[in-house]
Amino acid sequence: MTKGTRAAAAVAGVGLVAVVAGMFLPWFRSGAVLRDSFQIIGVIRSLGFLRGELLEVLLYAWFAIIPVVTLSVVAYTLGMSRTAATICGFLAIITGTISGGATVESGGGESSLGIAGTGPTVTLIGSLVALVGAVGIFVGRRRSARRIAGGEP
């Protein structure tokens, strides 16, 4: 494994840590109360808005993000860097899309009810960093394959 691939994996790892940390930061503001993304799902469930719809499946899939991050890290540790990069890339796209939408909707406003900017922004930045790292793993693997095959130095 090349230094570039290891560096890209480290970048992806830092991004994934930021994604997970951002999920536990405030995503919603209601008066003086700040709630993280998991608490918001609990509130939505307790209010009875979810009744076997697709939204319910998508909201519960949010709970699977942390195990998927763990799967990506374990795959890289076991030497399956392309598999880990693929998992990391898909995860970064999904979390980046959700947190990007929430970041835009937060708008930086200071109202007493609405989306808080901290959690979505940290998750978005982590997603972007993780995606850069995942792409870097593929680029690094491709360059090392050319060297082995006798391609360009």
Side-chain angles (χ1 to χ4, degrees):
M1 193 167 312
T2 65
K3 281 196 251 184
T5 304
R6 283 192 292 268
V11 168
V14 167
L16 290 175
V17 167
V19 165
V20 171
M23 293 170 69
F24 289 99
L25 291 173
W27 278 65
F28 193 78
R29 175 180 48 256
S30 174
V33 178
L34 296 172
R35 299 185 195 287
D36 66 32
S37 63
F38 300 109
Q39 291 170 328
I40 293 303
I41 293 171
V43 167
I44 291 171
R45 187 184 74 218
S46 68
L47 291 176
F49 291 128
L50 305 176
R51 297 194 197 318
E53 298 172 4
L54 178 62
L55 177 62
E56 182 178 18
V57 173
L58 293 176
L59 286 175
Y60 286 130
W62 189 253
F63 289 109
I65 291 175
I66 294 173
V68 172
V69 166
T70 305
L71 178 66
S72 179
V73 171
V74 168
Y76 185 77
T77 305
L78 295 175
M80 299 183 290
S81 59
R82 286 185 287 182
T83 302
T86 302
I87 294 168
C88 179
F90 281 126
L91 186 71
I93 290 169
I94 292 167
T95 58
T97 301
I98 293 168
S99 60
T103 300
V104 168
E105 285 298 316
S106 72
E110 294 298 323
S111 69
S112 62
L113 181 64
I115 297 174
T118 309
T121 303
V122 170
T123 304
L124 177 61
I125 292 169
S127 298
L128 293 173
V129 171
L131 188 59
V132 166
V135 169
I137 290 172
F138 281 112
V139 170
R141 298 280 299 178
R142 185 172 177 179
R143 285 186 184 151
S144 65
R146 275 196 218 144
R147 286 187 196 124
I148 292 170
E152 61 182 62

